Amino acid sequence: SYTEVAIIAIGEIIVSALVVLGYFIAGAAFSYEFTYRVFTGVLLGSAVTIINFIFLSVSVNRLVDEFIEIRGTREMDEEEAAEFTKAHSMKIQNRITLSFIIRTVSMLATLLVAFLLDWFEPIATVIPLFMYRPILTVGNLVTSKFSKAKSTPVTESVGTGEEKEDN
């Protein structure tokens, strides 16, 4: 969904800013030469992470849409549903595996490019790649707390210790 892509993008921007700041501070403290390679590294790592997430979302959505189209809208009993699942589960599993392989190869290619070319700071490239899961976890926690706070009704008696009685 667009919300999840936004969470990943915002998270990657925050991670990238922290990495750049960390390199800047390290450069000042340890006389490390702070170069453009830090910026290109975080940009490469963040871009690949966001593109991989979009690819994952699109491939899963297509797979679900195809599954729904094949299944149709008619009611199935348990036996028919089990047969349908058995007949199509291997195709679904193969597509999921292919998506995983493509995303993994793209990450490995990114790491290879970062380490081989002098345009990127390798560690600055690696950090955004590996922050994908923590960003999703924190983003989901924040959105779930936000949605809970938004859906919890506030009454006049909250916090007063008084209970309202229905008439």
Side-chain angles (χ1 to χ4, degrees), residues 60-166:
V60 166
N61 286 341
R62 280 187 184 161
L63 190 58
V64 168
D65 290 345
E66 286 177 26
F67 189 75
I68 290 171
E69 184 179 321
I70 292 169
R71 184 190 176 301
T73 57
R74 74 176 186 83
E75 288 282 325
M76 289 186 179
D77 61 21
E78 287 184 34
E79 187 177 302
E80 288 175 316
E83 252 180 67
F84 179 81
T85 302
K86 184 179 178 184
H88 297 329
S89 65
M90 185 56 84
K91 178 183 176 183
I92 292 169
Q93 188 61 41
N94 288 342
R95 296 274 298 276
I96 290 170
T97 302
L98 178 63
S99 171
F100 175 77
I101 290 170
I102 290 170
R103 290 180 291 115
T104 302
V105 167
S106 73
M107 287 178 65
L108 291 174
T110 300
L111 293 175
L112 190 64
V113 165
F115 279 97
L116 292 179
L117 296 180
D118 201 32
W119 304 337
F120 308 100
E121 178 63 41
I123 302 301
T125 306
V126 168
I127 293 171
L129 286 174
F130 290 126
M131 292 306 291
Y132 163 76
R133 290 246 186 247
I135 290 169
L136 267 183
T137 302
V138 169
N140 287 335
L141 286 172
V142 169
T143 55
S144 69
K145 288 203 183 266
F146 179 72
S147 64
K148 281 182 186 176
K150 192 175 181 182
S151 66
T152 304
V154 178
T155 62
E156 296 171 15
S157 64
V158 171
T160 62
E162 301 174 8
E163 292 186 28
K164 290 177 88 176
E165 291 185 21
D166 290 335

Side-chain angles (χ1 to χ4, degrees), residues 18-80:
L18 290 173
V19 168
V20 169
L21 180 64
Y23 268 91
F24 183 75
I25 291 170
F30 304 110
S31 63
Y32 167 80
E33 184 182 351
F34 182 80
T35 67
Y36 74 94
R37 296 174 59 221
V38 174
F39 291 106
T40 57
V42 296
L43 184 65
L44 177 63
S46 293
V48 169
T49 300
I50 293 167
I51 290 168
N52 271 347
F53 186 76
I54 291 170
F55 177 75
L56 173 66
S57 296
V58 168
S59 61
V60 166
N61 286 341
R62 280 187 184 161
L63 190 58
V64 168
D65 290 345
E66 286 177 26
F67 189 75
I68 290 171
E69 184 179 321
I70 292 169
R71 184 190 176 301
T73 57
R74 74 176 186 83
E75 288 282 325
M76 289 186 179
D77 61 21
E78 287 184 34
E79 187 177 302
E80 288 175 316

